[in-house]
Amino acid sequence: MDGLNDYRTARVADILADFRNLQYFIAAAPVDPPNTDDYYTEGWAALRQCAIDGQHILNCAADVTVPQAHGGEAEQQRAELKQILLDAYSRRHEGQKIYLRQAAAQRWIEYRERVLQGQRPNSSHRRQLRACDEQLRGELSRITDEYVYQELQTSDMSMGRWTAEDPSLRSVQRWVRARPQTT
């Protein structure tokens, strides 16, 4: 036994709390525009996709297969905690990515409303609305796994959290790929 199971348990609890908070934010974001004519615009489509992705990451089953550890109960607990850590860490990672995408789409809505100033889109708005769409696409393209992983790692370290056994980005990506969307 290495004596770190209390740290592992606390780490899992922290990450699960983060994930729970992200789920609240994801679930609270709007998905339908006030005006149905805007339903298929880029920002609203992005928000609906985020809601679908958020539901998927919440509903996908946990990987409960844990390798049998040799060395007694403490070693078995260690193996189980490391598996739970990967699951929780990966869910938090995906939740953070969804949250960042939602935030970009919500900024798009604000920018679009500023451009339109209560009017419906017309040819005089075309250039500015196109710029809003391009800004959204740019923001979404910058929300990569690498960016999210680094952002979360930096945040965890700044909060003084124990990160010694956090899964690698590749492990997180493998976990996500093993749970494809069915829709």
Side-chain angles (χ1 to χ4, degrees):
M1 182 171 124
D2 62 8
L4 298 175
N5 283 349
D6 288 343
Y7 288 104
R8 290 180 186 104
T9 302
R11 183 68 175 135
V12 167
D14 286 341
I15 291 171
L16 287 174
D18 292 348
F19 179 65
R20 184 189 67 229
N21 290 336
L22 286 166
Q23 279 297 319
Y24 288 136
F25 289 122
I26 291 168
V31 292
D32 293 316
N35 187 314
T36 56
D37 292 342
D38 296 333
Y39 188 83
Y40 295 104
T41 56
E42 288 191 51
W44 286 105
L47 281 171
R48 282 190 303 283
Q49 186 60 52
C50 288
I52 291 166
D53 295 345
Q55 195 62 50
H56 170 71
I57 203 65
L58 183 63
N59 290 339
C60 67
D63 184 1
V64 294
T65 59
V66 179
Q68 288 296 331
H70 302 288
E73 185 179 327
E75 283 302 311
Q76 185 61 40
Q77 185 181 25
R78 174 183 181 203
E80 291 172 7
L81 284 168
K82 288 180 98 169
Q83 183 65 34
I84 294 167
L85 177 61
L86 173 60
D87 186 272
Y89 198 95
S90 300
R91 288 174 195 273
R92 180 184 72 156
H93 175 93
E94 282 299 292
Q96 181 69 14
K97 192 161 59 169
I98 293 164
Y99 173 75
L100 292 173
R101 288 177 21 228
Q102 279 183 324
Q106 289 177 314
R107 281 189 297 279
W108 173 89
I109 290 169
E110 291 172 18
Y111 300 153
R112 184 176 162 86
E113 287 174 355
R114 264 190 248 142
V115 167
L116 295 174
Q117 298 177 351
Q119 301 174 19
R120 293 305 307 144
N122 62 53
S123 60
S124 70
H125 302 118
R126 186 172 296 139
R127 188 175 97 325
Q128 290 175 301
L129 291 177
R130 191 174 304 131
C132 288
D133 291 346
E134 288 171 9
Q135 181 172 344
L136 174 62
R137 281 185 229 119
E139 284 188 53
L140 293 175
S141 72
R142 289 186 289 279
I143 303 171
T144 62
D145 282 333
E146 292 79 7
Y147 174 80
V148 172
Y149 187 87
Q150 186 63 47
E151 180 185 74
L152 288 171
Q153 196 173 49
T154 300
S155 174
D156 286 339
M157 289 178 178
S158 73
M159 288 189 276
R161 291 178 167 178
W162 185 74
T163 60
E165 293 184 354
D166 282 357
S168 67
L169 174 57
R170 290 213 192 289
S171 296
V172 169
Q173 290 170 324
R174 273 192 305 273
W175 185 94
V176 171
R177 277 192 306 271
R179 285 146 189 85
Q181 293 250 359
T182 56
T183 57

